[in-house]
Amino acid sequence: MSHPSDNELPNFGVLIDETRFWVVHRRKYYGPFDYQWSIDLNGIEFLYQHQKYGECCSNEEFFADLKPFKLPSRVSQVATIVTGTVVSCIFHCIASHERVRQITRNLKNMGLERYTIDLK
C-alpha cells in the first residue's frame, strides 16, 4: 500500500482497507492491523504486521496483547477499539459500511474522535 506524501499525512486517523487498518498517530503510520479466521474456523486471530497478537473465539473469549510491539499507548488503545468493534460486527453479521459508523461512535465515546476514519 502506498502512503500519502508527508505533507498529505493526517496528524491522527485510522485508514481502513478491507480487513486491514493502520492507525495514524502524530503523522506516523502503525500497522497493518488485520484479522484472519483460525484454521478450524472457530475463531478469529488478530495480526499486527503479520504477527499474531490476539484471538477471539466467542463474545466471552477475547484476548489481545500489543505490549511486545512497544506501540504508543494511544495507538494500542485505538487499535483495540477498532479490532473489538470489527469482531463484534462480524459476530452480529453487521455490514461493513455500518462497521465504520460503529467504529467512529466507539472512538468518540472513548474521547478519541480525532482519529477520523479514512477508507481506501
Side-chain angles (χ1 to χ4, degrees):
M1 183 187 108
S2 63
H3 296 301
S5 68
D6 282 345
N7 49 351
E8 294 174 348
L9 280 174
N11 288 323
F12 302 94
V14 177
L15 176 63
I16 299 175
D17 182 21
E18 300 291 329
T19 63
R20 302 176 303 167
F21 70 92
W22 290 257
V23 176
V24 182
H25 178 71
R26 296 184 177 170
R27 299 175 62 108
K28 184 175 177 186
Y29 277 80
Y30 295 89
F33 294 88
D34 203 351
Y35 69 87
Q36 65 186 17
W37 290 97
S38 61
I39 294 172
D40 62 6
L41 299 178
N42 286 327
I44 299 171
E45 297 177 344
F46 312 126
L47 308 169
Y48 175 68
Q49 297 182 346
H50 311 289
Q51 294 182 32
K52 183 176 174 180
Y53 73 89
E55 62 188 314
C56 182
C57 298
S58 70
N59 285 340
E60 294 82 32
E61 297 178 76
F62 185 102
F63 169 79
D65 183 7
L66 288 166
K67 287 179 190 170
F69 301 102
K70 299 184 184 336
L71 299 171
S73 60
R74 283 287 187 233
V75 172
S76 293
Q77 186 178 16
V78 170
T80 301
I81 291 167
V82 173
T83 300
T85 304
V86 168
V87 169
S88 177
C89 289
I90 289 169
F91 281 138
H92 292 98
C93 301
I94 295 173
S96 59
H97 66 277
E98 177 59 27
R99 292 178 194 172
V100 172
R101 281 195 283 264
Q102 289 198 22
I103 291 167
T104 300
R105 185 190 72 230
N106 290 341
L107 288 170
K108 183 178 180 182
N109 289 344
M110 296 300 294
L112 298 166
E113 58 273 351
R114 68 181 171 183
Y115 290 89
T116 57
I117 307 296
D118 185 19
L119 300 174
K120 274 303 216 189

